[in-house]
Amino acid sequence: MTYPTYDRLIPEMGPVDWAESEHLLDGKEFALHAMADWSADPVVGKSVTTVLAGNGNRVANVTFTYSNNHGIVISGDSNHVEDVIVLNTNWLGTLTYPPIGASGSNNVVTRSTAANFGNAGITTHGPNHTVSYCHVYNGGLIGLDTAGIYTGSPSDSGADFHHNWVHDMREKCIRGDDLSANMTIHHNVMANCGMPNGDVRKDGVGLVVKGLGHVIYANTIINCQRESRCMPACGSPYKPWDCHGNVCPLLVTKQNVNSLYFNNAQYNQTGQNCGCGGRGDATYAGGIASGIFNGTATQMKLEDPSAMDYRPTKQSPLVDAGVIKRPYTDGFVGKSPDIGAYEYSGTDWKAGCTLHPKC
């Protein structure tokens, strides 16, 4: 596909709205300083947002900084965001304004970084989105019930979150919220979820996955303030926003009954009473679990987590300790798959953008 190129550099710019299809935005730096447009409505104002709407768009090698709401929003189908960094956004602290937001279907956010934001970092809405090789950190600074990478509704099925670093979040690191379905979450590192330890919210969870039909494997989850994973087994009640008019999704009477959770290294267990509020089956985590290692980063014997090196050492108990589940574990090194996000002597993958010192 040939993309028209937007060849402009707009320092100190306001909102930009590209509403055509099949465009390329490449190699630009935007200092947004986007604020509410109070002249539009002296009482409530009007939110201003940088939007790329349409199908088949590509945004690459772009820096967005300083906005009290969004960084960039991608709306439509089969759009691609790569090597983008978004810094210092969402001073309002609401889930409505993520640094990077994707809605529609089959959109990809990859090799990108979001840091220093008020609520969630990268959000997806709609089916079959992919978030991969992204670096999300220092978020949830203002709002409550936050997460580094977030999706969650009956219409948001099929999300694929893989090979991401998510760390130093005030609350959750990765989250599939109410009535999520058929997510695949693998080869992610979630670290320092719910930091600093003195944060009064005390809601630091590495991974939250509600709903049904998920496949979660080969993740490393360390240093969580509360627990490593929240996979509720109780039923999921309707929330007001789940229904549209008189149309409501099917009620999930037992969450995660068919979800798979395997080959994950986690700081602590267990997901008890997670999201269940005292309802039935609240005493244990949902999902079918196997090949799990419970321990600290020190006990995992990782190379150097403080320097973002989460590979297991030769002496690590994670090596060759996983279970084989085809096709998910195909290509492992050694006698059996390793537990966690990295294989010993495997690919030393990195997450985040490449164009900025804070990637």
Side-chain angles (χ1 to χ4, degrees), residues 10-338:
I10 311 177
E12 306 286 331
M13 71 180 237
V16 175
D17 191 342
W18 292 278
E20 300 175 50
S21 293
E22 299 183 0
H23 290 315
L24 169 67
L25 181 62
D26 195 341
K28 304 294 175 248
E29 181 171 354
F30 296 121
L32 297 176
H33 291 281
M35 301 295 288
D37 180 7
W38 298 107
S39 64
D41 187 325
V43 178
V44 298
K46 179 181 178 181
S47 173
V48 293
T49 299
T50 299
V51 178
L52 186 63
N55 304 319
N57 298 301
R58 183 170 182 266
V59 179
N61 192 30
V62 180
T63 301
F64 296 93
T65 57
Y66 301 108
S67 169
N68 72 337
N69 52 79
H70 289 290
I72 183 170
V73 175
I74 305 298
S75 176
D77 302 333
S78 302
N79 297 296
H80 193 93
V81 177
E82 182 170 0
D83 210 1
V84 165
I85 185 168
V86 183
L87 300 171
N88 308 317
T89 57
N90 193 1
W91 311 332
L92 301 176
T94 74
L95 182 61
T96 306
Y97 299 128
I100 302 174
S103 63
S105 66
N106 297 290
N107 293 307
V108 174
V109 180
T110 189
R111 299 287 180 191
S112 295
T113 297
N116 309 333
F117 48 88
N119 195 292
I122 300 176
T123 68
T124 66
H125 297 286
N128 304 321
H129 297 296
T130 298
V131 179
S132 63
Y133 294 95
C134 289
H135 187 192
V136 182
Y137 65 96
N138 198 35
L141 300 178
I142 300 172
L144 299 176
D145 209 15
T146 67
I149 300 177
Y150 175 92
T151 193
S153 81
S155 62
D156 296 345
S157 64
D160 187 5
F161 297 163
H162 67 88
H163 293 91
N164 300 291
W165 289 342
V166 186
H167 64 93
D168 292 283
M169 294 292 303
R170 288 296 177 95
E171 294 186 10
K172 298 102 177 162
C173 279
I174 294 180
R175 181 175 186 176
D177 210 350
D178 297 319
L179 301 175
S180 296
N182 305 321
M183 296 180 67
T184 305
I185 303 173
H186 63 98
H187 293 93
N188 300 284
V189 175
M190 291 157 264
N192 301 337
C193 310
M195 298 294 140
N197 269 318
D199 191 279
V200 295
R201 286 172 277 193
K202 297 182 179 179
D203 204 17
V205 181
L207 176 67
V208 178
V209 185
K210 302 179 182 180
L212 290 169
H214 308 298
V215 180
I216 303 165
Y217 65 99
N219 298 286
T220 298
I221 311 174
I222 55 177
N223 299 341
C224 298
Q225 182 195 50
R226 199 178 89 192
E227 59 197 2
S228 288
R229 65 168 172 139
C230 164
M231 291 182 66
C234 57
S236 179
Y238 288 135
K239 305 286 180 67
W241 50 84
D242 290 332
C243 301
H244 301 278
N246 293 322
V247 180
C248 297
L250 293 174
L251 180 67
V252 176
T253 58
K254 188 175 179 63
Q255 297 180 83
N256 287 306
V257 64
N258 59 346
S259 297
L260 300 179
Y261 186 83
F262 60 94
N263 294 356
N264 297 294
Q266 54 191 36
Y267 172 61
N268 56 358
Q269 193 50 349
T270 58
Q272 293 182 0
N273 299 310
C274 161
C276 290
R279 297 187 302 278
D281 295 323
T283 58
Y284 62 92
I288 303 167
S290 57
I292 308 303
F293 180 88
N294 291 302
T296 65
T298 300
Q299 292 168 332
M300 293 177 192
K301 297 185 179 179
L302 306 179
E303 287 285 357
D304 189 357
S306 64
M308 312 293 288
D309 189 345
Y310 301 104
R311 296 173 297 163
T313 63
K314 186 177 181 178
Q315 297 77 29
S316 171
L318 307 180
V319 176
D320 291 345
V323 297
I324 297 174
K325 286 189 179 291
R326 295 187 169 93
Y328 308 110
T329 57
D330 289 354
F332 64 84
V333 179
K335 295 181 294 184
S336 297
D338 294 354

